[in-house]
Amino acid sequence: MRILGLLLFLSLAAHSAHAQVTDGVSSAPLSRCAGKAGSEVRQGDPAFVTIALDGQPWMTIERTQEIVGTQPISTTITGTGWRQRRDGTTAHFRFTCALDERGQAVLFHASALLHDLGDRLPPAIVIEGAAAYPDKASLPRGVELQVQLIDPSQPPSSRILAEQVVRSGWLVPIPFSLRLPKEALPADRTLALSARIVLAHQILFELAEPRLVAASDSSRFLALSLARVGAR
């Protein structure tokens, strides 16, 4: 009951309209949560294809000193994401992920949006696309697509405007859907999109050069072609 109560409490905390990052964020903690989510969804849903977790600016990281059962929890991450099944249906959710003192994800809980109760994702610009790689061989289990939208004109601490980590069962190209606040993509500014396919912290494929993104690209589907690292 204590575990369920903590997960429900953390899930409710994730329902803020526009979650703000409370600590320094990179793709590392988000990646660990995506790995935990992918393994659990794959076990519980044989029709699983893709699961994606949103990072900045929709993710909140908080330090804590909780004990769940016998498991010490040092960090909780709350945010939003989506998953797709083999029949093509996609559902958005809110998630809570708990990390231990070593930074490993030990708990993951996702809850569907409660549309009947007015639960909606905040208004946002959505940049959709998919990333392909040149090899015909299947990717090994555990790989993920990491996508970041960057504003090069900003200092390093605030350059990442939106990010997403995607775990895909067998779907290639791997889809992504970046959401960012409407005011974050001015008409007179050009941003840069980076993408890479990673396995256990090792980059297998990535964009040879960042893809420039303008405000007009928010209405276009972006097809990215990644190159094998070391083959360029």
Side-chain angles (χ1 to χ4, degrees), residues 86-216:
R86 290 179 188 252
D87 61 5
T89 57
T90 299
H92 288 85
F93 58 79
R94 301 184 189 276
F95 74 86
T96 299
C97 178
L99 282 66
D100 63 15
E101 64 276 3
R102 297 175 301 167
Q104 299 302 311
V106 294
L107 292 172
F108 184 88
H109 175 74
S111 58
L113 298 181
L114 303 176
H115 293 294
D116 293 343
L117 299 179
D119 187 16
R120 298 286 190 275
L121 294 179
I125 297 171
V126 180
I127 298 177
E128 294 183 309
Y133 59 96
D135 296 23
K136 295 182 179 180
S138 300
L139 292 172
R141 176 171 290 190
V143 299
E144 64 187 29
L145 173 67
Q146 299 177 357
V147 185
Q148 293 180 325
L149 187 64
I150 299 168
D151 185 348
S153 68
Q154 297 299 313
S157 60
S158 56
R159 280 183 181 173
I160 299 176
L161 299 182
E163 62 182 342
Q164 190 169 80
V165 173
V166 185
R167 291 268 178 148
S168 183
W170 54 266
L171 191 63
V172 177
I174 303 174
F176 64 88
S177 180
L178 287 174
R179 301 177 60 255
L180 66 159
K182 292 185 176 181
E183 66 275 8
L185 189 57
D188 60 347
R189 187 179 304 170
T190 299
L191 307 178
L193 186 71
S194 69
R196 55 190 178 268
I197 293 176
V198 179
L199 175 64
H201 308 295
Q202 180 181 358
I203 300 176
L204 304 181
F205 304 91
E206 67 179 347
L207 282 176
E209 298 291 341
R211 167 70 152 82
L212 298 182
V213 177
S216 59

Side-chain angles (χ1 to χ4, degrees), residues 23-31 55-56 59 61 148 160 163 165:
D23 199 354
V25 172
S26 68
S27 290
L30 189 64
S31 176
Q56 295 195 51
M59 177 174 67
I61 296 181
Q148 293 180 325
I160 299 176
E163 62 182 342
V165 173

Side-chain angles (χ1 to χ4, degrees), residues 33-53 82-89 91 93 108 140-144 165-171 174-175:
C33 291
K36 182 68 172 176
S39 62
E40 293 191 356
V41 170
R42 187 178 292 108
Q43 293 175 5
D45 186 358
F48 157 80
V49 174
T50 302
I51 186 167
L53 302 185
W82 54 268
R83 65 178 177 178
Q84 186 180 56
R85 308 179 83 237
R86 290 179 188 252
D87 61 5
T89 57
F93 58 79
F108 184 88
R141 176 171 290 190
V143 299
E144 64 187 29
V165 173
V166 185
R167 291 268 178 148
S168 183
W170 54 266
L171 191 63
I174 303 174

